[in-house]
Amino acid sequence: MVISVAAFVFSTTAAFWALVYHRSQARAVAQANALTEKAQREQAEPYVIVDIRPRIPGSSLLVLLIENIGQTLARNVRISVSPPLQTTLGAERAATLNRAVSRPIATLPPKRRIPFVMDMGHQMFSSELPKIYEFRVEEDGPFGRVDPLIYTVDLEALRDSALETDSVEWSTHQIAKHLKRSADAQEEQSRSVEALSGEVRKRLGRQGPE
């Protein structure tokens, strides 16, 4: 009897822990599946960002850029910024920039970029205008509304980067190329004039005095 009771208790305990184990495994599998599904869903969602950056490497022209860096079409894109965008290029340009980030964008395909001229780097950094902006981006994707994206753009990071140096180096390089082309052209012109003068002297020498 004692052995039977012990066996029953042992089997019951083993069954209990087996049930606990299987439930734990089931939860782990469910969580893993949920994470996988979430990752796949995020990869299939659009990802619209707003940034302020040099137009091209080495340029001191700053542009406001709206871009979908995701893999799918973004719909009903809504953007807001705080504080309102400001620029040294005048009130009309500032109004254009703020209209750009306040009006909804019906559709924005993957990799589509919409740039707007914002400012000149040296003018912006030497002014008292705001250098930090907070953007909020809301959009709809293939699965419905995407979680809002809120982030900060700090223009001071550009001041401390190679923007100004690259711009000066790039401009100096372009000026040097232009001066070299001008010098080569002048040298070629001088050779042509000298050759023409020599030909004229030869003809006059052959004719002799009348």
Side-chain angles (χ1 to χ4, degrees):
M1 178 65 71
V2 174
I3 295 177
S4 299
V5 171
F8 174 77
V9 171
F10 177 78
S11 61
T12 302
T13 302
F16 170 77
W17 286 112
L19 178 62
V20 171
Y21 173 78
H22 286 304
R23 286 185 175 178
S24 176
Q25 287 293 100
R27 283 196 298 270
V29 170
Q31 290 174 353
N33 290 337
L35 289 175
T36 300
E37 182 180 352
K38 181 181 179 182
Q40 293 175 344
R41 177 170 175 170
E42 289 178 347
Q43 290 178 356
E45 288 179 339
Y47 198 84
V48 177
I49 64 169
V50 186
D51 197 9
I52 300 172
R53 66 179 69 166
R55 185 180 68 85
I56 58 173
S59 173
S60 62
L61 179 63
L62 298 178
V63 297
L64 173 76
L65 185 65
I66 302 173
E67 181 178 8
N68 180 5
I69 63 174
Q71 303 298 319
T72 56
L73 180 72
R75 294 183 175 86
N76 193 25
V77 179
R78 291 89 63 199
I79 302 170
S80 60
V81 59
S82 178
L85 296 168
Q86 298 186 47
T87 173
T88 65
L89 300 182
E92 185 175 347
R93 172 51 44 183
T96 298
L97 293 169
N98 285 288
R99 282 197 302 270
V101 296
S102 62
R103 61 171 175 257
I105 302 174
T107 58
L108 194 63
K111 311 308 178 187
R112 175 65 60 84
R113 309 172 73 196
I114 308 177
F116 300 89
V117 171
M118 182 167 181
D119 216 321
M120 299 301 297
H122 63 281
Q123 295 178 187
M124 166 68 78
F125 296 133
S126 62
S127 72
E128 298 299 323
L129 297 180
K131 306 298 189 300
I132 298 177
Y133 294 98
E134 182 178 272
F135 289 96
R136 177 185 176 93
V137 180
E138 300 177 81
E139 59 194 309
D140 296 335
F143 305 105
R145 181 160 297 184
V146 178
D147 291 339
L149 176 65
I150 302 174
Y151 59 97
T152 298
V153 173
D154 186 357
L155 295 178
E156 292 292 346
L158 290 180
R159 185 203 294 270
D160 297 333
S161 73
L163 173 64
E164 294 300 310
T165 301
D166 289 347
S167 178
V168 171
E169 291 176 353
W170 181 84
S171 299
T172 302
H173 178 66
Q174 292 298 105
I175 292 172
K177 287 172 59 179
H178 177 72
L179 291 176
K180 186 178 186 304
R181 285 196 299 266
S182 297
D184 291 343
Q186 290 177 358
E187 184 177 353
E188 180 65 25
Q189 185 177 13
S190 297
R191 285 197 297 265
S192 298
V193 171
E194 184 177 351
L196 181 60
S197 299
E199 185 64 25
V200 170
R201 286 194 297 271
K202 286 182 183 179
R203 291 185 179 185
L204 291 175
R206 286 197 296 268
Q207 291 178 357
E210 293 183 355

